[in-house]
Protein backbone atom coordinates (compact mmCIF):
# COMPACT_ATOMS: atom_id res chain seq x y z
CA UNK A 1 0.00 0.00 0.00
CA UNK A 2 1.32 3.44 -0.90
CA UNK A 3 2.24 5.37 2.26
CA UNK A 4 -0.03 8.41 2.79
CA UNK A 5 2.65 9.92 5.07
CA UNK A 6 4.51 10.71 1.85
CA UNK A 7 2.53 13.94 1.62
CA UNK A 8 3.68 15.15 5.03
CA UNK A 9 7.32 14.51 4.12
CA UNK A 10 6.71 16.58 0.96
CA UNK A 11 4.77 19.31 2.79
CA UNK A 12 6.63 22.39 1.51
CA UNK A 13 6.81 21.06 -2.04
CA UNK A 14 3.16 19.96 -1.88
CA UNK A 15 2.05 23.48 -1.02
CA UNK A 16 3.91 25.03 -3.95
CA UNK A 17 3.47 22.36 -6.62
CA UNK A 18 -0.13 21.19 -6.42
CA UNK A 19 -2.40 23.12 -8.82
CA UNK A 20 -5.55 24.76 -7.45
CA UNK A 21 -9.03 23.46 -8.10
CA UNK A 22 -10.72 24.97 -11.17
CA UNK A 23 -12.80 28.11 -10.86
CA UNK A 24 -15.74 26.31 -12.49
CA UNK A 25 -15.92 23.95 -9.53
CA UNK A 26 -16.10 26.80 -7.05
CA UNK A 27 -18.70 28.54 -9.19
CA UNK A 28 -20.81 25.38 -9.16
CA UNK A 29 -20.66 25.22 -5.36
CA UNK A 30 -21.71 28.87 -5.22
CA UNK A 31 -24.57 28.25 -7.65
CA UNK A 32 -25.78 25.41 -5.42
CA UNK A 33 -25.91 27.78 -2.46
CA UNK A 34 -23.26 25.87 -0.55
CA UNK A 35 -20.80 28.74 -0.07
CA UNK A 36 -23.07 31.01 1.94
CA UNK A 37 -21.29 33.24 4.44
CA UNK A 38 -21.83 32.20 8.03
CA UNK A 39 -22.20 28.48 7.32
CA UNK A 40 -19.93 25.97 9.03
CA UNK A 41 -17.66 23.59 7.13
CA UNK A 42 -15.28 20.78 8.02
CA UNK A 43 -12.44 20.13 5.57
CA UNK A 44 -11.27 16.51 5.80
CA UNK A 45 -7.69 15.72 4.84
CA UNK A 46 -7.12 19.43 4.32
CA UNK A 47 -3.42 19.31 3.38
CA UNK A 48 -2.02 22.84 3.30
CA UNK A 49 -5.47 24.35 2.85
CA UNK A 50 -6.28 24.64 -0.84
CA UNK A 51 -9.97 24.08 -0.10
CA UNK A 52 -9.85 25.62 3.39
CA UNK A 53 -8.69 28.97 2.04
CA UNK A 54 -11.45 29.24 -0.53
CA UNK A 55 -14.07 28.27 2.04
CA UNK A 56 -12.79 30.96 4.40
CA UNK A 57 -12.75 33.51 1.58
CA UNK A 58 -16.43 32.75 0.97
CA UNK A 59 -17.19 33.65 4.58
CA UNK A 60 -17.59 30.17 6.03
CA UNK A 61 -16.31 29.11 9.43
CA UNK A 62 -13.91 26.23 8.81
CA UNK A 63 -12.59 23.36 10.89
CA UNK A 64 -9.71 21.71 9.00
CA UNK A 65 -8.69 18.13 9.80
CA UNK A 66 -5.21 17.02 8.68
CA UNK A 67 -3.19 14.06 10.03
CA UNK A 68 0.24 15.28 8.88
CA UNK A 69 1.97 17.51 11.42
CA UNK A 70 4.01 19.43 8.82
CA UNK A 71 1.03 19.92 6.54
CA UNK A 72 -1.11 21.02 9.48
CA UNK A 73 1.52 23.56 10.53
CA UNK A 74 1.57 25.10 7.05
CA UNK A 75 -2.22 25.04 7.00
CA UNK A 76 -2.44 26.96 10.26
CA UNK A 77 0.21 29.45 9.12
CA UNK A 78 -1.54 30.05 5.80
CA UNK A 79 -5.06 30.18 7.22
CA UNK A 80 -5.00 31.27 10.87
CA UNK A 81 -8.78 31.81 10.84
CA UNK A 82 -9.32 28.06 10.50
CA UNK A 83 -9.59 25.74 13.48
CA UNK A 84 -7.05 22.98 12.79
CA UNK A 85 -7.33 19.45 14.17
CA UNK A 86 -4.24 17.24 13.73
CA UNK A 87 -5.87 13.86 13.29
CA UNK A 88 -7.07 11.26 10.84
CA UNK A 89 -10.53 12.27 9.67
CA UNK A 90 -11.84 8.89 10.83
CA UNK A 91 -10.66 9.60 14.40
CA UNK A 92 -11.40 13.33 14.64
CA UNK A 93 -13.54 14.33 17.61
CA UNK A 94 -16.12 16.35 15.71
CA UNK A 95 -19.12 17.96 17.42
CA UNK A 96 -22.46 16.39 16.53
CA UNK A 97 -24.98 18.07 14.22
CA UNK A 98 -22.76 21.11 13.76
CA UNK A 99 -21.56 21.41 10.18
CA UNK A 100 -23.50 22.51 7.12
CA UNK A 101 -20.98 20.93 4.74
CA UNK A 102 -18.19 18.39 4.98
CA UNK A 103 -15.52 18.56 2.28
CA UNK A 104 -13.07 15.90 1.13
CA UNK A 105 -10.90 17.43 -1.62
CA UNK A 106 -8.59 14.85 -3.26
CA UNK A 107 -8.42 12.99 0.04
CA UNK A 108 -11.32 10.53 0.35
CA UNK A 109 -9.37 7.66 -1.28
CA UNK A 110 -6.98 7.64 1.70
CA UNK A 111 -9.78 7.18 4.23
CA UNK A 112 -11.53 4.11 5.62
CA UNK A 113 -15.12 4.85 4.68
CA UNK A 114 -16.59 2.40 7.17
CA UNK A 115 -14.99 4.51 9.92
CA UNK A 116 -15.23 7.91 8.28
CA UNK A 117 -18.82 8.09 7.09
CA UNK A 118 -20.52 7.48 10.46
CA UNK A 119 -18.31 10.19 11.97
CA UNK A 120 -19.14 12.67 9.20
CA UNK A 121 -22.83 11.75 9.26
CA UNK A 122 -23.02 12.47 12.98
CA UNK A 123 -21.19 15.79 12.62
CA UNK A 124 -23.49 17.17 9.91
CA UNK A 125 -26.75 18.97 10.52
CA UNK A 126 -29.83 17.07 9.24
CA UNK A 127 -29.81 19.04 5.98
CA UNK A 128 -26.02 18.87 5.69
CA UNK A 129 -24.08 17.97 2.54
CA UNK A 130 -20.96 15.91 1.95
CA UNK A 131 -18.88 17.31 -0.92
CA UNK A 132 -16.23 15.08 -2.46
CA UNK A 133 -14.04 16.24 -5.31
CA UNK A 134 -10.60 15.72 -6.83
CA UNK A 135 -8.28 16.75 -9.62
CA UNK A 136 -7.43 14.04 -12.15
CA UNK A 137 -4.06 14.69 -13.79
CA UNK A 138 -4.31 13.86 -17.49
CA UNK A 139 -7.40 13.81 -19.71
CA UNK A 140 -7.66 10.82 -22.11
CA UNK A 141 -9.72 13.00 -24.45
CA UNK A 142 -6.57 15.10 -25.01
CA UNK A 143 -3.67 12.71 -25.75
CA UNK A 144 -0.23 14.32 -25.87
CA UNK A 145 3.32 12.97 -26.32
CA UNK A 146 4.01 13.85 -22.69
CA UNK A 147 1.01 11.82 -21.49
CA UNK A 148 2.20 8.92 -23.66
CA UNK A 149 5.49 9.02 -21.76
CA UNK A 150 3.66 9.14 -18.42
CA UNK A 151 1.61 6.06 -19.35
CA UNK A 152 4.78 4.24 -20.41
CA UNK A 153 6.46 4.99 -17.08
CA UNK A 154 3.46 3.73 -15.12
CA UNK A 155 3.10 0.61 -17.28
CA UNK A 156 6.73 -0.34 -16.63
CA UNK A 157 6.24 -0.66 -12.88
CA UNK A 158 6.77 -4.13 -11.45
CA UNK A 159 4.55 -3.74 -8.39
CA UNK A 160 0.78 -4.28 -8.24
CA UNK A 161 -1.59 -1.35 -8.72
CA UNK A 162 -3.11 0.36 -5.71
CA UNK A 163 -5.83 -1.90 -4.25
CA UNK A 164 -9.50 -1.01 -4.16
CA UNK A 165 -11.71 1.02 -6.50
CA UNK A 166 -10.10 3.40 -8.95
CA UNK A 167 -9.62 6.60 -6.95
CA UNK A 168 -9.83 8.72 -10.10
CA UNK A 169 -13.21 7.26 -11.13
CA UNK A 170 -16.13 9.39 -9.92
CA UNK A 171 -18.61 6.54 -10.43
CA UNK A 172 -16.58 4.07 -8.40
CA UNK A 173 -16.20 6.70 -5.68
CA UNK A 174 -19.87 7.62 -5.31
CA UNK A 175 -20.89 3.96 -5.26
CA UNK A 176 -18.58 3.45 -2.29
CA UNK A 177 -19.90 6.58 -0.59
CA UNK A 178 -23.54 5.41 -0.71
CA UNK A 179 -22.77 1.80 0.22
CA UNK A 180 -23.45 2.33 3.94
CA UNK A 181 -26.81 4.03 3.33
CA UNK A 182 -25.76 7.09 5.33
CA UNK A 183 -25.58 9.33 2.26
CA UNK A 184 -27.33 9.64 -1.10
CA UNK A 185 -26.01 11.30 -4.25
CA UNK A 186 -27.58 14.57 -5.34
CA UNK A 187 -25.42 15.16 -8.40
CA UNK A 188 -22.08 14.50 -10.06
CA UNK A 189 -20.34 17.20 -12.10
CA UNK A 190 -17.16 17.21 -14.17
CA UNK A 191 -14.95 20.12 -15.17
CA UNK A 192 -12.19 20.19 -17.80
CA UNK A 193 -9.32 22.65 -17.73
CA UNK A 194 -5.67 22.99 -18.64
CA UNK A 195 -2.39 24.34 -17.29
CA UNK A 196 1.04 24.90 -18.84
CA UNK A 197 3.97 23.46 -16.87
CA UNK A 198 7.72 23.63 -17.38
CA UNK A 199 10.14 20.83 -16.51
CA UNK A 200 10.81 22.05 -12.96
CA UNK A 201 7.11 22.41 -12.25
CA UNK A 202 6.47 18.87 -13.51
CA UNK A 203 9.33 17.56 -11.38
CA UNK A 204 7.98 19.33 -8.29
CA UNK A 205 4.40 18.20 -8.93
CA UNK A 206 5.17 14.58 -9.74
CA UNK A 207 7.42 14.29 -6.68
CA UNK A 208 4.30 14.86 -4.56
CA UNK A 209 2.58 11.82 -6.11
CA UNK A 210 2.81 9.04 -3.55
CA UNK A 211 3.26 6.24 -6.10
CA UNK A 212 6.07 7.88 -8.12
CA UNK A 213 9.72 7.21 -7.26
CA UNK A 214 12.61 9.62 -7.85
CA UNK A 215 13.75 8.02 -11.11
CA UNK A 216 10.24 8.11 -12.57
CA UNK A 217 9.91 11.78 -11.63
CA UNK A 218 13.17 12.60 -13.41
CA UNK A 219 11.98 10.72 -16.52
CA UNK A 220 8.79 12.79 -16.57
CA UNK A 221 10.74 16.04 -16.23
CA UNK A 222 13.10 14.97 -19.01
CA UNK A 223 10.10 14.37 -21.27
CA UNK A 224 9.12 18.02 -20.81
CA UNK A 225 12.60 19.16 -21.84
CA UNK A 226 12.35 16.94 -24.93
CA UNK A 227 8.97 18.51 -25.74
CA UNK A 228 10.56 21.97 -25.90
CA UNK A 229 10.62 22.99 -22.25
CA UNK A 230 6.92 23.12 -21.42
CA UNK A 231 3.79 21.02 -21.83
CA UNK A 232 0.08 21.78 -21.78
CA UNK A 233 -1.55 19.44 -19.30
CA UNK A 234 -5.25 18.73 -19.78
CA UNK A 235 -6.89 17.97 -16.45
CA UNK A 236 -10.30 16.88 -15.24
CA UNK A 237 -11.93 17.59 -11.91
CA UNK A 238 -15.11 15.96 -10.66
CA UNK A 239 -17.48 16.88 -7.87
CA UNK A 240 -19.90 14.62 -6.00
CA UNK A 241 -22.61 16.26 -3.88
CA UNK A 242 -24.26 13.99 -1.32
CA UNK A 243 -27.07 14.50 1.19
CA UNK A 244 -27.17 13.10 4.68
CA UNK A 245 -29.93 10.47 4.90
Amino acid sequence: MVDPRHFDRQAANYEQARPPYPEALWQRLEDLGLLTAGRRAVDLGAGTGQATGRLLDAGLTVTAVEPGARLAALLKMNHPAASVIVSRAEDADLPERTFDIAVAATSIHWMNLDELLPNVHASLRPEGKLLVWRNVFGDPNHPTPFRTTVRRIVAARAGPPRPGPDAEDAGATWRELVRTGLFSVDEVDEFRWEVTLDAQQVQNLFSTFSDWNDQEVLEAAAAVVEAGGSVVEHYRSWLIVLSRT
Side-chain angles (χ1 to χ4, degrees):
M1 181 64 181
V2 178
D3 184 1
R5 290 173 297 180
H6 171 87
F7 304 115
D8 201 48
R9 291 191 292 267
Q10 289 278 340
N13 196 31
Y14 186 98
E15 180 184 26
Q16 296 298 322
R18 286 284 175 127
Y21 297 107
E23 286 302 314
L25 185 151
W26 294 107
Q27 185 61 55
R28 182 59 181 152
L29 294 177
E30 186 173 336
D31 292 344
L32 291 171
L34 297 171
L35 299 184
T36 304
R39 305 187 87 191
R40 300 191 65 175
V42 58
D43 186 4
L44 307 166
T48 58
Q50 283 185 323
T52 296
R54 292 298 298 260
L55 295 169
L56 288 169
D57 290 345
L60 282 75
T61 299
V62 182
T63 297
V65 181
E66 169 51 49
R70 295 184 182 93
L71 289 167
L74 286 172
L75 170 63
K76 188 62 179 176
M77 181 176 67
N78 293 338
H79 306 291
S83 175
V84 178
I85 299 174
V86 183
S87 170
R88 294 170 69 239
E90 299 94 321
D91 302 326
D93 185 12
L94 302 176
E96 293 188 2
R97 296 195 170 207
T98 296
F99 300 106
D100 299 290
I101 60 173
V103 170
T106 317
S107 62
I108 199 78
H109 55 292
W110 291 114
M111 300 173 188
N112 183 320
L113 297 186
D114 290 330
E115 298 175 9
L116 174 77
L117 295 180
N119 195 18
V120 174
H121 186 273
S123 74
L124 286 171
R125 297 171 54 133
E127 67 278 15
K129 303 289 186 181
L130 171 59
L131 311 177
V132 178
W133 71 76
R134 72 165 294 145
N135 285 339
V136 179
F137 301 106
D139 185 342
N141 289 344
H142 292 276
T144 65
F146 174 71
R147 275 289 141 187
T148 298
T149 299
V150 169
R151 288 194 297 273
R152 176 184 57 76
I153 294 170
V154 172
R157 292 174 180 164
R162 182 180 297 171
D166 183 355
E168 295 186 348
D169 185 331
T173 301
W174 73 252
R175 285 189 288 272
E176 283 295 299
L177 291 168
V178 302
R179 177 172 51 81
T180 63
L182 296 174
F183 292 91
S184 61
V185 173
D186 293 347
E187 65 174 275
V188 180
D189 295 303
E190 185 173 82
F191 313 93
R192 296 177 184 272
W193 53 291
E194 62 184 46
V195 62
T196 300
L197 301 174
D198 63 25
Q200 188 61 58
Q201 289 171 315
V202 164
Q203 182 171 335
N204 292 345
L205 174 60
F206 279 52
S207 69
T208 70
F209 295 164
S210 58
D211 49 358
W212 280 68
N213 64 40
D214 292 344
Q215 182 57 42
E216 292 172 340
V217 169
L218 290 175
E219 288 183 46
V224 179
V225 175
E226 292 174 7
S230 66
V231 292
V232 176
E233 280 278 73
H234 300 275
Y235 291 160
R236 294 179 296 124
S237 300
W238 47 252
L239 164 69
I240 306 170
V241 180
L242 305 102
S243 288
R244 183 184 187 274
T245 59

